[in-house]
Amino acid sequence: MEQTTQPTPKKRILSAIKPSGELTLGSYIGAIRNWLAFQEEYECVYCVADLHAITVRQDPKELRRRSLEQLATYISSGLDYEKNILFIQSHVPAHAELSWMLGCYTMFGELSRMTQFKDKSAKNADNINAGLFTYPVLMAADILIYNADLVPVGDDQKQHVELTRDIANRFNGVYGNVFKVPEAFVPPVGARIMSLQNPESKMSKSEVDANGCVLLLDKPEDIMRKFKRAVTDSDREIRFDRENKPGISNLIEIYAAATGITREETMAQFEGKSYGDFKPAVGEAVVELLRPIRENTERLLKDKGELERIYKEGAMRAAHIADRTVAKVKKKIGFIV
């Protein structure tokens, strides 16, 4: 009798982006495009982290608009809502419930050492609220509630994954093997997209100069205008040199990422050409990269019934996992379940 071998279970990945601003070209190339590759190899859970967004005051109408727009953009970027669990964080109340319980197993000193709290406190001096201080605990709950194996992070988030591991190990040390201890997952090195106006700073949705940031849903004419105004340098050579030519190096990085060719191939293609030739070419490449995402997002946002069906189904699938984790934690702590 032949013995059948069971397939190895896929590892689970969790990632989220706050709807505190519009998604940018940097968000797509640095994060979302990596997610597309993950969905074939891993079991993926992706959410719109609206609970995290309110550590800073938000306009309610804008928060609702951005949350729906961000979910629609996830799907329009190629994330399959049947293969992946896509949902809005606040639609799964178990996140907040577990966050409170984990907060009782997190030390004040640990949260005090979080570098992002210090940075955000400096930027929001008139609103240093408790949520700003404790949101790493909510982030830990986001991860642990789904028994995530891996958490894709940049350098600025590694500290939060380490805190999550510390909380999980502390809880497991008291109550046994309750939580899977996650690992930070640094995706293959991709393009680091910088501001078009300040190429020594990362492109950000909170950028002061709107011309420095390309949004995923920008119109083609706005994208072209921003690239034509992009900061370069007095040297006329199209050459990658991040230290001495940060502006033109950023444009080379963007063109390579948008077209799928290498930096070297980009430099060879534009050898002898002027910045006046190169900057519009980069703009056109980005327009074509983002066109299907913008058009599909606009179409999906017009079909409110379909979008609602997707996010409700995603929340149900997420809650099926999350509620079981919370019930297990409650039982371990001693709550009546």
Side-chain angles (χ1 to χ4, degrees):
M1 184 175 177
E2 278 189 29
Q3 194 172 17
T4 57
T5 57
Q6 294 295 322
T8 305
K10 289 183 176 181
K11 288 188 174 182
R12 184 176 290 158
I13 275 186
L14 176 127
S15 199
I17 299 176
K18 291 184 296 184
S20 53
E22 314 298 333
L23 290 175
T24 70
L25 177 65
S27 309
Y28 176 71
I29 292 175
I32 297 172
R33 195 155 71 171
N34 281 329
W35 296 0
L36 302 182
F38 299 157
Q39 67 184 350
E40 301 302 327
E41 188 177 349
Y42 301 97
E43 183 182 345
C44 302
V45 181
Y46 297 126
C47 84
V48 176
D50 56 344
L51 292 176
H52 285 286
I54 63 170
T55 57
V56 176
R57 294 285 176 265
Q58 302 289 337
D59 178 280
K61 289 182 180 177
E62 283 297 293
L63 181 58
R64 279 190 286 270
R65 177 189 66 78
R66 286 196 302 265
S67 296
L68 288 173
E69 198 172 84
Q70 187 167 305
L71 184 68
T73 305
Y74 285 176
I75 298 163
S76 300
S77 298
L79 290 177
D80 187 328
Y81 57 83
E82 293 181 348
K83 286 183 180 177
N84 308 290
I85 298 177
L86 304 178
F87 69 103
I88 296 170
Q89 185 186 24
S90 62
H91 289 181
V92 183
H95 283 249
E97 193 174 9
L98 183 60
S99 178
W100 168 255
M101 290 184 274
L102 293 183
C104 298
Y105 295 83
T106 307
M107 301 299 108
F108 182 87
E110 290 173 320
L111 294 177
S112 299
R113 290 191 290 273
M114 293 289 108
T115 54
Q116 282 210 351
F117 172 68
K118 297 171 185 175
D119 294 343
K120 292 190 177 188
S121 296
K123 292 177 183 175
N124 299 279
D126 59 341
N127 183 27
I128 305 175
N129 56 70
L132 198 63
F133 185 68
T134 61
Y135 87 94
V137 183
L138 177 58
M139 188 177 293
D142 297 337
I143 297 165
L144 298 178
I145 206 166
Y146 295 107
N147 299 304
D149 296 279
L150 302 169
V151 186
V153 290
D155 291 336
D156 59 339
Q157 294 291 344
K158 284 181 182 176
Q159 191 181 30
H160 291 137
V161 178
E162 284 306 312
L163 176 64
T164 300
R165 289 171 57 84
D166 290 342
I167 295 169
N169 282 318
R170 183 176 298 127
F171 196 94
N172 289 350
V174 176
Y175 299 107
N177 188 24
V178 179
F179 293 120
K180 183 175 287 184
V181 180
E183 295 179 12
F185 175 59
V186 181
V189 177
R192 181 173 168 81
I193 306 303
M194 313 302 278
S195 165
L196 299 184
Q197 291 300 310
N198 181 13
E200 295 184 1
S201 297
K202 189 177 174 182
M203 184 180 286
S204 169
K205 53 194 173 186
S206 58
E207 198 161 333
V208 176
D209 189 341
N211 287 315
C213 184
V214 176
L215 306 179
L216 286 194
L217 302 183
D218 270 346
K219 294 178 181 177
E221 57 270 27
D222 293 329
I223 294 173
M224 292 302 299
R225 174 177 50 78
K226 290 176 182 181
F227 276 100
K228 287 176 181 177
R229 294 180 179 178
V231 168
T232 50
D233 52 60
S234 55
D235 183 357
R236 308 310 299 166
E237 188 182 0
I238 299 172
R239 173 173 52 86
F240 190 89
D241 182 346
R242 183 70 84 181
E243 185 176 345
N244 298 307
K245 295 169 68 68
I248 204 67
S249 297
N250 188 40
L251 294 181
I252 290 171
E253 195 88 88
I254 291 171
Y255 186 82
T259 59
I261 67 175
T262 66
R263 295 172 185 166
E264 291 71 23
E265 289 169 332
T266 300
M267 288 185 282
Q269 184 177 331
F270 289 93
E271 187 176 2
K273 299 287 181 67
S274 69
Y275 290 172
D277 297 318
F278 185 49
K279 291 201 285 187
V282 181
E284 287 167 7
V286 171
V287 165
E288 293 311 311
L289 175 70
L290 300 185
R291 187 187 301 280
I293 297 173
R294 188 189 74 255
E295 291 176 350
N296 288 333
T297 299
E298 290 172 352
R299 177 191 55 76
L300 190 53
L301 287 170
K302 288 175 184 175
D303 191 348
K304 288 187 168 49
E306 172 68 358
L307 192 58
E308 182 178 352
R309 182 190 69 78
I310 291 169
Y311 69 64
K312 283 186 174 180
E313 183 179 307
M316 285 177 61
R317 291 172 64 196
H320 178 71
I321 302 170
D323 291 345
R324 288 169 65 186
T325 303
V326 167
K328 186 177 181 180
V329 171
K330 285 180 174 179
K331 188 174 179 181
K332 291 288 186 179
I333 288 173
F335 293 165
I336 298 171
V337 180

Short mmCIF file of all heavy atoms in Angstrom, two decimals, residues 13 30-31 34-35 38 151-154 184-190:
data_model
loop_
_atom_site.label_atom_id
_atom_site.label_comp_id
_atom_site.label_asym_id
_atom_site.label_seq_id
_atom_site.Cartn_x
_atom_site.Cartn_y
_atom_site.Cartn_z
N ILE A 13 2.48 34.72 6.66
CA ILE A 13 3.06 36.07 6.69
C ILE A 13 1.96 37.07 7.04
O ILE A 13 0.82 36.94 6.57
CB ILE A 13 3.66 36.43 5.32
CG1 ILE A 13 5.09 35.89 5.22
CG2 ILE A 13 3.67 37.92 5.06
CD1 ILE A 13 5.83 36.30 3.96
N GLY A 30 8.33 49.27 -2.66
CA GLY A 30 9.03 48.78 -1.47
C GLY A 30 8.28 47.73 -0.69
O GLY A 30 8.89 46.94 0.04
N ALA A 31 6.93 47.68 -0.81
CA ALA A 31 6.16 46.74 0.02
C ALA A 31 5.18 45.92 -0.80
O ALA A 31 5.31 44.70 -0.91
CB ALA A 31 5.42 47.51 1.11
N ASN A 34 6.30 43.33 -3.30
CA ASN A 34 6.86 42.14 -2.66
C ASN A 34 5.74 41.20 -2.22
O ASN A 34 5.89 39.97 -2.28
CB ASN A 34 7.69 42.52 -1.43
CG ASN A 34 9.07 43.02 -1.80
OD1 ASN A 34 9.64 42.61 -2.79
ND2 ASN A 34 9.60 43.94 -1.01
N TRP A 35 4.62 41.78 -1.77
CA TRP A 35 3.49 40.96 -1.33
C TRP A 35 2.99 40.06 -2.46
O TRP A 35 2.54 38.95 -2.22
CB TRP A 35 2.35 41.84 -0.83
CG TRP A 35 2.65 42.66 0.39
CD1 TRP A 35 3.83 42.71 1.10
CD2 TRP A 35 1.77 43.56 1.04
NE1 TRP A 35 3.73 43.58 2.14
CE2 TRP A 35 2.48 44.13 2.14
CE3 TRP A 35 0.45 43.97 0.83
CZ2 TRP A 35 1.90 45.06 3.00
CZ3 TRP A 35 -0.12 44.89 1.68
CH2 TRP A 35 0.59 45.43 2.76
N PHE A 38 4.91 36.98 -2.50
CA PHE A 38 4.67 36.14 -1.33
C PHE A 38 3.43 35.26 -1.49
O PHE A 38 3.38 34.16 -0.96
CB PHE A 38 4.48 37.00 -0.07
CG PHE A 38 5.64 37.85 0.32
CD1 PHE A 38 5.45 38.97 1.11
CD2 PHE A 38 6.93 37.54 -0.09
CE1 PHE A 38 6.51 39.78 1.48
CE2 PHE A 38 8.01 38.34 0.28
CZ PHE A 38 7.79 39.46 1.07
N VAL A 151 7.24 38.23 9.50
CA VAL A 151 6.73 39.59 9.39
C VAL A 151 7.69 40.39 8.52
O VAL A 151 8.82 40.68 8.94
CB VAL A 151 6.61 40.27 10.78
CG1 VAL A 151 5.93 41.62 10.65
CG2 VAL A 151 5.85 39.37 11.76
N PRO A 152 7.28 40.74 7.29
CA PRO A 152 8.17 41.54 6.44
C PRO A 152 8.37 42.93 7.05
O PRO A 152 7.38 43.60 7.37
CB PRO A 152 7.40 41.63 5.11
CG PRO A 152 6.35 40.57 5.18
CD PRO A 152 6.02 40.41 6.62
N VAL A 153 9.61 43.33 7.21
CA VAL A 153 9.89 44.62 7.85
C VAL A 153 11.05 45.32 7.18
O VAL A 153 11.92 44.69 6.58
CB VAL A 153 10.22 44.45 9.35
CG1 VAL A 153 9.00 44.06 10.15
CG2 VAL A 153 11.36 43.47 9.57
N GLY A 154 11.05 46.63 7.33
CA GLY A 154 12.22 47.43 7.00
C GLY A 154 13.02 47.64 8.28
O GLY A 154 12.63 47.18 9.36
N ALA A 184 11.37 38.25 12.10
CA ALA A 184 11.40 39.36 11.14
C ALA A 184 11.88 38.80 9.80
O ALA A 184 12.80 37.98 9.76
CB ALA A 184 12.34 40.46 11.62
N PHE A 185 11.24 39.21 8.75
CA PHE A 185 11.58 38.72 7.42
C PHE A 185 11.97 39.92 6.57
O PHE A 185 11.15 40.80 6.31
CB PHE A 185 10.38 37.99 6.81
CG PHE A 185 10.56 37.56 5.38
CD1 PHE A 185 11.59 36.70 5.03
CD2 PHE A 185 9.71 38.01 4.38
CE1 PHE A 185 11.76 36.29 3.72
CE2 PHE A 185 9.87 37.61 3.07
CZ PHE A 185 10.89 36.75 2.74
N VAL A 186 13.22 39.98 6.19
CA VAL A 186 13.70 41.08 5.35
C VAL A 186 13.61 40.60 3.90
O VAL A 186 14.34 39.69 3.50
CB VAL A 186 15.14 41.48 5.70
CG1 VAL A 186 15.60 42.62 4.82
CG2 VAL A 186 15.24 41.87 7.17
N PRO A 187 12.68 41.16 3.12
CA PRO A 187 12.50 40.72 1.73
C PRO A 187 13.77 40.95 0.92
O PRO A 187 14.66 41.70 1.32
CB PRO A 187 11.36 41.61 1.22
CG PRO A 187 10.68 42.12 2.44
CD PRO A 187 11.75 42.24 3.47
N PRO A 188 13.88 40.29 -0.24
CA PRO A 188 15.02 40.54 -1.12
C PRO A 188 15.19 42.04 -1.36
O PRO A 188 14.20 42.77 -1.47
CB PRO A 188 14.63 39.83 -2.42
CG PRO A 188 13.65 38.79 -1.99
CD PRO A 188 12.92 39.35 -0.82
N VAL A 189 16.41 42.48 -1.39
CA VAL A 189 16.69 43.91 -1.51
C VAL A 189 16.04 44.47 -2.78
O VAL A 189 16.26 43.98 -3.88
CB VAL A 189 18.21 44.18 -1.54
CG1 VAL A 189 18.47 45.67 -1.74
CG2 VAL A 189 18.84 43.69 -0.25
N GLY A 190 15.21 45.45 -2.59
CA GLY A 190 14.56 46.11 -3.73
C GLY A 190 14.94 47.56 -3.77
O GLY A 190 15.82 48.03 -3.03
#
